[in-house]
Amino acid sequence: MTAAVDSVRTLTLREIGPAERGTRAEEVVIALSPAFGDPFTKTIVDVPHAEVIRQLLAGIEERGGVARVIKVYKTADLAAIAHFGAKLSGSGIAVGVLSRGTTVLHQRDLARLSNLELFPQAPLLDAEVFRMIGANAAQYAQGQSPRPVPTRNDQMARPRWQAKAALLHLKEFDCIDHSRAAVDVEPVIGWAEPS
Amino acid sequence: MTNNVTELTPADYPLSINRPELLTTPTGKSLDDLTMAAVVAGEITSEDLRISPDTLALQGQLAAAAGRRQLADNFTRASEMTAIPDAEVLAMYNSLRPNASSAAQLEDLASRLESTYSATTCAALVREAAQVYADRNLLAEED
Amino acid sequence: MTAVAPQPTGSSIRTSKRTEILEARPVNLDGFVEEWPEKGLVAMESDYDPQPSVRVEDGRIVELDGRTRDRFDFMDTFIADHAIDVETCEEAMAVPSVEIARMIVDPRTSRADVVAVGRGLTPAKILDVVKLMNVVEIMMGIQKTRSRRTPANQAHSTSAKDNPIQVAADAAEGAVRGFAELETTLGVVRYAPLVAIGLQVGGQVGRGGTLTQCALEEATELDLGMRGITAYAETISIYGTESVFVDGDVTPWSKAFLASAYASRGIKMRFTSGTGSEVQMGNAEGRSMLYLEIRCILMARGAGVQGLQNGSISCIGVPGAMPGGIRAVAAENLVASWMDLECASGNDQSFSHSPMRRTSRLLPQMLPGTDFVCSGYSAVPNKDNMFAGSNLETDDYDDWNVIQRDMQVDGGLRHVREDVILQVRNKAARAMQALFVELDLPPITDEEVEAATYANSSDDYPDRDVLADLEGARSVMERGITGLDLVRFLERAGFGDVAENYLKVLRQRVSGDLLQTAAVLTADFVPLAAINDANDYAGPGTGYRLTGERWDELKKLRHVTSAENPEEEVV
C-alpha cells in the first residue's frame, strides 16, 4: 500500500429496528460486532469498515443473494455473533465480522464452535477476500457447495500483529452492552477527505 | 507397593544402569530379557514394554529423595493407574473436564478408582476436584 | 487509541533520507503496543497485581496474595493445596524480597537453598522478587537454577506437505547436529501416524537416544505415546486464570490426572504455558502477564509434572510488543527453573522480522543455558514449519555454531561435516523406504530417497499420493501398529542398528528413568537428569563449563583456516 489515498469511504450504520428472524430464503445476514463501524472505522490492517461492508454486499449480490446487516451488542465472541446471525437469517447463513476483520461463515444448524469457513488471520483479509466471502455466503444460502475461499498464511503475522490483535480484542470487549439487543442497520457509505 | 528393598538414594539413578536388578515389567520380565532376539522371535509384546507399579514406586522414592514431593505424589497416582486400561484412563480424564460430570458421577468415579483399582490417591484427587467444582459452579446438572 | 495517529504512508510530508532507511529496516515490520495494565496488557510491572501475603491455619493455607479461602478461585485453591509447602511458607514469605533476589544471584547461596525458599512462596511474592532483577541478574539466576547441569536443545521437524520422508531426513540431520528432543506436528492431522514414524526413525538414525513427540490434540497424542510411536509429550497446555482454563475445557485437577496418566505408561511429559496467552484470550482478569505465568508455573509444580515448556511460546508477539516484554519472558524461564522444573525455554516461534532482535531475544536463554534452549529450533526451513515458524531455523545453523564458538557457550548443537549429514539423511530415507514396504504402505521411490538426501525444503521432493498416504495412515492406526512392530520391521529390513536404538528408547519406559526431572538420553543411552546430572553451579569455575572434547568439537565450523597450513581449512 504505497499509493496515497486522497479520500476514504466512511461507514454509518443507520439503525432500523430490532433484528428479527428473516423470511427470505436466499437471505444472508452480515452480523457485525459491537465496535464495528463505531467507534472503530477500519480493520487491523486499515481496511475501512465501509470497504468491508461494500465488498461483502457486492459479493453476495453478484451471486444472487440478498443481504441484511445486523449489529450485535451483547457479545464480542465471533462464533456467538455469527451463530446468532445465522439463526436470524432467512437462509440460515450468516457472515460474522469482528471490528479487527476476523470473519467466519456460519450456518444455523451447526454447533456454535463449528463453522462453514473461518478466516482467523485478520491481517490477511483484504477487499478481494471479503468479496469472495460474500460470494460464497450467497452460494451457501442457495444450497450450493462453493469452493472454500483459499486460505492465506503468513508466519510473520505474529510478530507484527499479535499484540495489536489482543489490544483490539480488549477494546471490542469494552464495547459490549449486555442490555442492548441486536438491531437491523442500514449501511450508509460516504466519502470523506482524510484529516 | 514394593517396600522390601533398601531405601533408594539419588546415587541409584539411573535405575536402568545402576539398579537393573530392581526392575521388572508388569509381565515379570527383566530388562535383560528385552533383547532384539526376543523381539524378532515374537516373545516380546507391548505389555512387556510397560512400566510396573513397583518401578513407579522406586522412581517416587528417588524423586522424594531429591526433594520433589509433588513429583513423587504424581508417581504414586501413576503407579495406581497402571492397572487401568488405556481407554478408561482417557474416559476418566474427560469426565474431570469442567461441567462434564455431576457430583454423583464424580463420586462414582472416585468409588470405582478405589474399589476396582485400589487407586486411593487418585480417588482422593477426584473427590477434591468434585468439592472445588461444586464451589466454583463447574459441575454438570444432575440427570 | 493513542493520542497521535501514525503518519499515513505516502503522505506528502517530507522525511529525511535517514528516516527513509530506518523506516525500511525489518524491525519496523514488528508490532509494538502501548501498555494497558487495567486489562492485563502489561508484561510484569502492574499496579493491578496483588500484594504478596499468606496465612496458615490448622496446617492449611487460608489466605493467598490478599484473598481469603472463601474468595479463592480454583487456581488459588490448587496452588495453596498442592504447590506451596505449608510448613515453610510463613517463614519464607517473611524473608524480604530483595534478600531472596540476592540469594538467587549470589553464587555463595546454593541452588538447593534457593529452591527451598522458593517452595514456600506465593505467586505475588515470586513476582515481587523477580521484578527486582534486571535481565543480567535473571540470566545469572537461570544459570544457577536450571535443573540439569548440561544444557540441551530441541528441534521442530515438520513438513508443509506432511511428507514423512522429509520429516525423517530432517530429524536425522537434527539428531546428528545434536538435538536431544525432536518435535513434529501436522498440517493435515490424519497424516500423524506416518509423520510421527518418520520422526522416530529419522531421530534414531541420526544418533541413538533422541526423544520424539508429535503435537496433536490430547487423545491422539496420548495414543501415539502409548503405542510407543512417540517417546514423550509436551503440548499439554495450562493457563493462568480460571476463566481461560474453563474456556480450554480443562482444570488443574484434570491436568494433574493427565500428568499421572502419562507417567503410568512410563512416558515423559511436560506442560506448556506462557506469558500473553490469557490477555490474548481476553481473560487476564487485570493481572500482568508474568503474574499469571507464575500461577501456571506453580500449578505445574502442584500437579507433580516434571517440567514445563514456557517462554510465551505461541503468544510471543504479545509480550514481544510490550515494554520489558522480553525481560518478562526471561523471568518466566527463571521462575520455572527456580521452582525446580525442567524448563524448555521457548525461542520456538517466529518472533521478529529483525535478525538483530531475533538474536537478542535468544541470548537470555542461550548464554546461561537452559534444559532446552529452544523448545523448537526449526530443523526445517521456516516455510516448512507447521508450528508457524520458529525464532531459529535451518538457515541459522552456522550462525548458531559461530555464536557458540564466539562465546564459548554450549547451545546443544555442533557443526557436522557435509558427508556425515548426507549419509544420515540418505539412511533415514532408506530406512523409511524399507519400513513402508514392511508396513504395506504406499511405496517410497528411489527418486524420493535421492531427493531427501540433498533437499532443503519440501519443494525439493517429488509429491506423494496424499490420499493413498492418508489411507495408509488410517490403516496403521486400525491395525494397531506399535513401536515394537516398527522395531521388528526395521530389524527384518536390514536396519538393525536403527532398530536397536529404537528398542533401547522403548526399553526406557520399563525403567521409568526418563520420568525424572529434565531427563534426556545421551547417545550412549545413559539417562541424564536433574538427579545424576544435577546443576551444581556455585560461581566462577563451577557448574557446566564448555571444556575438553566438547569444546574441541564446538571449535569446528564450516570454514576455519588451518594454523598449521594457512592455505587449507580445518576439516
Side-chain angles (χ1 to χ4, degrees):
Chain A
M1 288 189 293
T2 48
V5 181
D6 295 331
S7 56
V8 289
R9 287 196 170 87
T10 61
L11 176 69
T12 310
L13 296 171
R14 194 176 292 149
E15 190 171 328
I16 298 171
E20 285 167 1
R21 180 81 186 257
T23 52
R24 293 172 298 182
E26 69 281 22
E27 177 182 78
V28 173
V29 162
I30 299 173
L32 305 175
S33 64
F36 196 99
D38 175 28
F40 289 131
T41 61
K42 53 192 183 184
T43 73
I44 191 167
V45 283
D46 296 344
V47 179
H49 284 170
E51 188 65 12
V52 173
I53 294 293
R54 202 174 74 89
Q55 294 294 342
L56 285 173
L57 292 174
I60 292 168
E61 193 178 310
E62 74 196 11
R63 289 288 176 170
V66 180
R68 174 161 62 113
V69 184
I70 70 169
K71 183 101 186 265
V72 174
Y73 293 100
K74 289 186 179 181
T75 176
D77 177 275
L78 179 61
I81 290 168
H83 200 230
F84 177 79
K87 284 191 281 190
L88 294 187
S89 167
S91 69
I93 299 296
V95 186
V97 192
L98 295 182
S99 301
R100 68 176 183 272
T102 318
T103 298
V104 68
L105 274 169
H106 220 312
Q107 204 232 339
R108 184 167 56 210
D109 299 331
L110 292 173
R112 187 170 59 85
L113 289 177
S114 182
N115 61 68
L116 291 170
E117 294 181 47
L118 175 64
F119 308 91
Q121 289 215 41
L124 305 177
L125 305 186
D126 58 14
E128 183 194 358
V129 174
F130 283 113
R131 196 172 189 110
M132 290 192 279
I133 293 171
N136 271 18
Q139 292 175 79
Y140 286 119
Q142 293 162 65
Q144 299 162 10
S145 302
R147 197 168 66 88
V149 176
T151 52
R152 299 174 181 181
N153 190 20
D154 174 11
Q155 55 174 270
M156 294 313 279
R158 178 186 4 243
R160 181 151 198 184
W161 300 112
Q162 191 173 32
K164 187 175 177 187
L167 176 60
L168 293 174
H169 186 63
L170 294 172
K171 288 281 178 190
E172 182 114 85
F173 266 64
D174 262 10
C175 295
I176 292 173
D177 185 346
H178 291 287
S179 65
R180 197 166 172 192
V183 290
D184 282 343
V185 292
E186 179 196 350
V188 181
I189 293 168
W191 294 88
E193 294 304 313
S195 49
Chain B
M1 301 301 110
T2 307
N3 282 320
N4 56 354
V5 289
T6 353
E7 281 292 305
L8 295 179
T9 70
D12 291 303
Y13 182 90
L15 299 181
S16 56
I17 291 170
N18 293 335
R19 303 301 299 273
E21 76 280 7
L22 298 179
L23 304 174
T24 49
T25 68
T27 50
K29 293 195 166 78
S30 75
L31 270 187
D32 284 344
D33 294 332
L34 305 174
T35 61
M36 186 60 73
V39 171
V40 170
E43 292 162 9
I44 306 290
T45 69
S46 285
E47 279 302 297
D48 297 316
L49 289 172
R50 291 179 88 122
I51 193 165
S52 74
D54 291 351
T55 303
L56 278 159
L58 296 174
Q59 293 291 357
Q61 279 185 33
L62 288 174
R68 301 189 173 109
R69 159 173 77 84
Q70 290 92 345
L71 184 59
D73 291 347
N74 181 25
F75 293 160
T76 302
R77 289 192 296 272
S79 73
E80 294 177 354
M81 276 188 205
T82 53
I84 310 174
D86 293 353
E88 190 170 359
V89 167
L90 264 180
M92 288 174 167
Y93 168 61
N94 283 327
S95 62
L96 279 169
R97 292 184 186 278
N99 304 305
S101 304
S102 66
Q105 286 166 329
L106 288 177
E107 180 48 39
D108 286 349
L109 171 57
S111 302
R112 178 166 171 76
L113 282 163
E114 263 173 350
S115 57
T116 309
Y117 299 112
S118 308
T120 51
T121 54
C122 290
L125 185 80
V126 170
R127 291 207 172 95
E128 185 189 312
Q131 181 60 53
V132 175
Y133 293 5
D135 292 346
R136 302 301 296 171
N137 201 21
L138 294 171
L139 291 170
E141 300 291 316
E142 297 285 347
D143 293 328
Chain C
M1 278 171 284
T2 44
V4 182
Q7 202 64 246
T9 41
S11 140
S12 54
I13 297 170
R14 187 172 173 192
T15 53
S16 76
K17 294 205 181 295
R18 183 164 304 154
T19 296
E20 280 172 26
I21 289 166
L22 289 172
E23 275 289 352
R25 293 280 287 185
V27 76
N28 284 313
L29 291 170
D30 291 352
F32 303 98
V33 165
E34 191 183 14
E35 291 157 308
W36 191 10
E38 293 91 325
K39 295 288 177 179
L41 197 62
V42 59
M44 62 187 283
E45 300 198 346
S46 168
D47 293 340
Y48 298 87
D49 282 333
Q51 290 301 307
S53 76
V54 81
R55 199 156 49 82
V56 175
E57 272 176 21
D58 302 328
R60 209 158 83 126
I61 291 173
V62 295
E63 181 190 315
L64 186 74
D65 293 343
R67 260 190 207 159
T68 49
R69 189 169 268 272
D70 56 311
R71 292 170 50 238
F72 278 6
D73 63 20
F74 72 32
M75 292 293 289
D76 297 320
T77 306
F78 193 86
I79 288 168
D81 292 350
H82 293 277
I84 300 174
D85 283 4
V86 180
E87 310 77 48
T88 63
C89 66
E90 286 177 314
E91 196 188 332
M93 291 288 285
V95 181
S97 296
V98 70
E99 276 309 307
I100 299 173
R102 286 173 185 170
M103 286 171 71
I104 292 172
V105 176
D106 181 358
R108 291 181 186 82
T109 306
S110 71
R111 177 180 190 275
D113 288 347
V114 173
V115 168
V117 75
R119 297 191 62 91
L121 302 181
T122 66
K125 179 74 169 184
I126 292 167
L127 178 66
D128 205 43
V129 170
V130 295
K131 270 160 67 173
L132 293 164
M133 303 170 75
N134 66 30
V135 72
V136 175
E137 290 154 353
I138 289 167
M139 287 158 73
M140 295 273 290
I142 292 173
Q143 173 165 251
K144 181 157 91 187
T145 61
R146 172 180 85 238
S147 65
R148 195 191 325 103
R149 188 172 187 269
T150 313
N153 212 336
Q154 184 200 97
H156 290 161
S157 184
T158 59
S159 162
K161 293 179 182 168
D162 295 318
N163 183 330
I165 300 106
Q166 181 191 4
V167 170
D170 282 321
E173 178 175 341
V176 78
R177 285 179 179 274
F179 292 107
E181 289 185 347
L182 304 169
E183 175 185 27
T184 195
T185 194
L186 284 306
V188 177
V189 174
R190 286 173 294 158
Y191 241 124
L194 303 191
V195 168
I197 288 170
L199 188 75
Q200 177 68 265
V201 170
Q204 301 316 315
V205 169
R207 77 159 171 92
T210 51
L211 304 179
T212 67
Q213 65 131 337
C214 183
L216 294 164
E217 53 81 26
E218 283 169 344
T220 318
E221 188 163 337
L222 184 57
D223 187 14
L224 287 173
M226 285 172 172
R227 287 167 183 255
I229 292 176
T230 53
Y232 75 102
E234 174 176 80
T235 42
I236 317 292
S237 298
I238 59 169
Y239 312 99
T241 65
E242 180 178 301
S243 48
V244 176
F245 248 110
V246 172
D247 283 349
D249 203 21
V250 286
T251 73
W253 287 265
S254 72
K255 289 289 185 177
F257 191 90
L258 187 63
S260 305
Y262 272 101
S264 75
R265 268 58 185 170
I267 303 171
K268 172 176 178 166
M269 191 263 252
R270 70 175 72 91
F271 285 162
T272 292
S273 60
T275 45
S277 63
E278 298 84 7
V279 70
Q280 166 94 353
M281 294 185 235
N283 273 314
E285 300 176 358
R287 307 304 197 201
S288 72
M289 298 177 201
L290 185 58
Y291 175 75
L292 295 180
E293 177 55 21
I294 293 171
R295 297 221 303 175
C296 291
I297 295 165
L298 288 188
M299 187 264 138
R301 184 171 73 190
V305 66
Q306 63 84 28
L308 184 67
Q309 168 182 231
N310 81 350
S312 195
I313 314 302
S314 56
C315 294
I316 188 69
V318 181
M322 308 312 300
I326 297 308
R327 172 180 169 234
V329 170
E332 64 180 292
N333 296 144
L334 167 61
V335 176
S337 306
W338 176 22
M339 294 300 118
D340 203 19
L341 298 169
E342 172 195 61
C343 178
S345 59
N347 281 308
D348 60 343
Q349 299 274 328
S350 47
F351 162 69
S352 173
H353 295 79
S354 153
M356 192 185 279
R357 197 164 176 246
R358 291 200 291 119
T359 310
S360 82
R361 183 257 173 277
L362 162 72
L363 295 179
Q365 291 76 32
M366 188 184 189
L367 295 185
T370 67
D371 295 315
F372 297 91
V373 177
C374 300
S375 47
Y377 181 123
S378 189
V380 289
N382 258 343
K383 70 187 186 103
D384 272 312
N385 190 308
M386 301 312 283
F387 293 97
S390 174
N391 191 38
L392 283 307
E393 60 174 313
T394 44
D395 296 7
D396 302 316
Y397 274 144
D398 288 357
D399 293 73
W400 181 283
N401 291 334
V402 171
I403 294 172
Q404 289 185 137
R405 186 179 183 270
D406 285 343
M407 299 291 192
Q408 200 166 350
V409 152
D410 192 341
L413 303 186
R414 59 173 181 164
H415 174 68
V416 182
R417 288 202 328 261
E418 171 77 353
D419 57 330
V420 176
I421 286 173
L422 294 179
Q423 190 258 328
V424 298
R425 292 185 66 93
N426 179 265
K427 185 171 172 183
R430 283 188 292 111
M432 287 295 284
Q433 187 180 39
L435 192 57
F436 270 39
V437 171
E438 294 281 342
L439 284 166
D440 199 21
L441 292 170
I444 296 170
T445 63
D446 289 343
E447 190 194 351
E448 288 179 270
V449 172
E450 178 80 358
T453 309
Y454 296 100
N456 180 46
S457 77
S458 55
D459 293 340
D460 306 323
Y461 292 78
D463 282 335
R464 290 195 48 85
D465 181 343
V466 173
L467 290 180
D469 270 355
L470 291 177
E471 180 55 29
R474 192 185 58 79
S475 101
V476 164
M477 294 311 271
E478 276 187 8
R479 285 182 279 164
I481 298 293
T482 65
L484 197 55
D485 295 324
L486 301 177
V487 168
R488 193 180 301 116
F489 290 145
L490 284 166
E491 170 76 17
R492 197 161 72 193
F495 290 88
D497 53 343
V498 184
E500 190 67 45
N501 285 347
Y502 194 170
L503 179 60
K504 283 181 181 157
V505 170
L506 289 175
R507 266 169 37 136
Q508 284 299 327
R509 290 188 182 196
V510 174
S511 74
D513 283 336
L514 294 181
L515 301 178
Q516 295 291 353
T517 303
V520 290
L521 283 176
T522 68
D524 303 323
F525 292 90
V526 177
L528 216 53
I531 297 185
N532 63 335
D533 189 38
N535 185 8
D536 55 358
Y537 178 83
T542 67
Y544 182 85
R545 297 282 151 172
L546 182 51
T547 54
E549 272 181 44
R550 176 68 177 158
W551 177 218
D552 288 340
E553 189 173 51
L554 296 201
K555 288 176 185 171
K556 296 195 173 136
L557 298 172
R558 190 174 300 280
H559 300 292
V560 176
T561 303
S562 165
E564 200 178 318
N565 180 358
E567 295 184 345
E568 287 181 5
E569 290 185 343
V570 178
V571 186

